[in-house]
Amino acid sequence: MNKVSILGVKFDAITKQEAVQRAMDVIRQGKKGYVVTPNSEIVYMARSNPQLKKLLNAATLVLPDGIGIVHAAKILNKPLTEKVAGIEFAADLIAEMEKEGRSLFLFGAKPGVAQKAAENLKKKHPNLIINGCRDGYFKSEEEAVRDINAVGHSDVILVCLGAPKQEIFMHTYLDELNGTLLCGLGGSLDVYAGVVERAPDFYVDHGLEWFYRLKKEPWRAKRMAALPKFLLTVIGAKITGKEN
């Protein structure tokens, strides 16, 4: 697959449907791997964190989740095929998994959220096998790994701990976890559970989902300040020809 480097993070230039089919191929082959969906904030963070950049680039799929990444690619004259939002990728992946009676484990979010998400997903996808759930609050990561493995093998494990914690977890425990494909999906379980409402289509279609979230959650302002810094860094990379 064609790769596009944005400040050293190598994204897959791929459509959402192609990403889903690639993920299904990995599941069918039983080849262990993990999926990351970095946004501008994470890419900016990885610029000064070589270990984070390394584990992002080691992923089976690196999907451009965020309009900032798409704009950066255009600035660098390395256009991506399209934005691939993690929550949309996961929704389509789950639909494909249901067709083959595949199994899923939900890991992350506050207590009770994963269970509610499982109930909602089961109503929508009755032939999907949901092996179990585990919230994101634990005394040790080893304890969480034991709980996930206790239910047996899962074709996909959704790891929703927030970035970069989920990416570090997936990379560290990939070989120990009894699952084929791990997907780092941030706050997706909150949306599946109905705890958080995703932005209306207008905001999503016009690349303004970040603005909708900021209106709903003003405390995100400090985190979102990374976006203009990210774009200025990309412009600098365009001028100098040096991304790192």
Side-chain angles (χ1 to χ4, degrees):
M1 291 182 291
N2 186 35
K3 292 279 188 177
V4 171
S5 177
I6 307 294
L7 301 185
V9 176
K10 300 174 183 177
F11 287 89
D12 290 294
I14 194 171
T15 67
K16 179 178 65 172
Q17 189 55 40
E18 289 169 343
V20 170
Q21 289 308 312
R22 171 59 179 155
M24 287 301 299
D25 287 343
V26 170
I27 293 167
R28 294 182 188 115
Q29 294 166 10
K31 185 178 180 181
K32 293 175 75 72
Y34 61 95
V35 179
V36 295
T37 58
N39 59 16
S40 304
E41 180 186 356
I42 298 305
V43 174
Y44 188 73
M45 188 185 301
R47 185 169 179 265
S48 58
N49 186 332
Q51 183 59 30
L52 176 58
K53 184 184 296 183
K54 181 179 179 180
L55 66 87
L56 289 173
N57 288 334
T60 304
L61 283 170
V62 184
L63 304 180
D65 186 348
I67 196 65
I69 299 298
V70 176
H71 284 328
K74 290 179 180 178
I75 290 171
L76 294 169
N77 292 326
K78 302 176 181 179
L80 289 159
T81 308
E82 64 183 29
K83 181 185 81 170
V84 183
I87 193 167
E88 296 175 5
F89 160 78
D92 287 2
L93 177 61
I94 288 170
E96 288 297 312
M97 290 172 62
E98 182 190 18
K99 295 177 183 178
E100 299 184 11
R102 297 287 179 174
S103 57
L104 179 70
F105 191 97
L106 307 181
F107 172 44
K110 294 180 179 179
V113 172
Q115 286 81 356
K116 183 59 179 177
E119 292 172 11
N120 292 344
L121 287 173
K122 193 65 177 177
K123 289 176 184 176
K124 188 174 182 179
H125 304 285
N127 293 323
L128 178 72
I129 299 171
I130 299 183
N131 277 348
C133 308
R134 211 292 178 196
D135 65 61
Y137 292 74
F138 41 83
K139 293 180 180 178
S140 70
E141 293 180 338
E142 290 75 14
E143 171 193 308
V145 170
R146 287 195 300 270
D147 290 346
I148 294 169
N149 288 345
V151 302
H153 179 267
S154 299
D155 291 305
V156 171
I157 301 172
L158 300 190
V159 182
C160 302
L161 303 176
K165 185 177 181 179
Q166 63 196 16
E167 287 78 14
I168 296 170
F169 181 89
M170 292 190 297
H171 183 264
T172 302
Y173 296 102
L174 175 63
D175 292 334
E176 293 182 41
L177 286 164
N178 194 2
T180 301
L181 188 65
L182 318 181
C183 298
L185 293 172
S188 297
L189 291 183
D190 290 316
V191 177
Y192 292 144
V195 175
V196 172
E197 181 183 359
R198 198 181 178 209
D201 290 343
F202 173 83
Y203 290 88
V204 175
D205 295 342
H206 290 82
L208 295 171
E209 192 168 4
W210 63 271
F211 181 65
Y212 179 83
R213 293 179 70 186
L214 183 58
K215 288 199 304 178
K216 290 285 187 179
E217 303 170 334
W219 58 267
R220 288 183 175 272
K222 185 175 181 179
R223 287 179 55 184
M224 289 186 178
L227 179 57
K229 294 179 182 178
F230 166 76
L231 290 175
L232 286 173
T233 303
V234 169
I235 292 170
K238 170 67 175 177
I239 294 170
T240 62
K242 298 179 181 179
E243 289 193 31
N244 296 317

